[in-house]
Amino acid sequence: MTSSDEVAKLFRVRRTLYKMLAKRGYLVSDADLHMTLEDFSSRFASVDLRKQLTILVQKADDPSQQLLVFFASEEKKIGVGTIRDVCTTMQDENVGRAILVVRDALTSHSRQAVSEMAPKFFIEIFKEDELL
């Protein structure tokens, strides 16, 4: 089960992401921007909280420009398999840009995989602590 400290941390990370997306010109609902911790806790109360937090947004001036936000669920460093999963989802959803939120650093192989995907998929990596 997810601890209350972890839920509060993810709430703050998600709120920061929504503010950042709004500043970048993506359509973000007021409900998501102003969600309370209590609302967040009741909406996302789950064992696999990070998977539920995936966000899909589109640009206000060009709805064809979409971006996906993923929350990596691994405890340790993120491997190439996670990067492949992100790219597969991006391809399935026809999305060229993504943000991957991780707890810890990527492995050198996964960083290389992100670079190799760059012509087709642009993936930004943020640590949770950077978004607090």
Side-chain angles (χ1 to χ4, degrees):
M1 190 52 100
T2 308
S3 75
S4 60
D5 289 341
E6 186 175 6
V7 170
K9 180 180 181 178
L10 288 172
F11 165 74
R12 291 173 44 214
V13 167
R14 185 175 180 271
R15 183 178 56 193
T16 302
L17 278 166
Y18 271 113
K19 288 177 183 178
M20 180 175 69
L21 292 170
K23 286 182 182 178
R24 290 183 179 189
Y26 288 94
L27 293 174
V28 176
S29 75
D30 283 339
D32 285 321
L33 274 175
H34 300 95
M35 182 179 287
T36 65
L37 176 56
E38 184 178 289
D39 292 340
F40 178 84
S41 297
S42 64
R43 180 174 172 192
F44 296 107
S46 171
V47 174
D48 195 5
L49 174 61
R50 283 174 173 74
K51 191 169 186 168
Q52 287 187 38
L53 295 177
T54 300
I55 302 167
L56 175 62
V57 291
Q58 57 191 9
K59 282 277 195 177
D61 59 353
D62 184 1
S64 67
Q65 289 187 24
Q66 297 180 321
L67 179 136
L68 272 164
V69 179
F70 299 93
F71 286 74
S73 59
E74 285 104 326
E75 293 285 339
K76 305 280 183 189
K77 291 185 177 184
I78 303 303
V80 176
T82 300
I83 303 303
R84 284 191 192 127
D85 291 345
V86 166
C87 290
T88 299
T89 303
M90 290 173 71
Q91 185 171 2
D92 292 347
E93 297 290 333
N94 198 26
V95 174
R97 298 182 70 86
I99 293 174
L100 177 60
V101 180
V102 298
R103 292 182 189 186
D104 203 356
L106 277 78
T107 64
S108 59
H109 291 319
S110 59
R111 279 194 305 273
Q112 182 179 350
V114 169
S115 296
E116 290 171 0
M117 299 297 178
K120 187 171 182 178
F121 302 113
F122 181 77
I123 304 171
E124 293 178 84
I125 310 295
F126 289 96
K127 289 184 182 177
E128 288 178 3
D129 291 341
E130 295 173 324
L131 297 169
L132 292 175

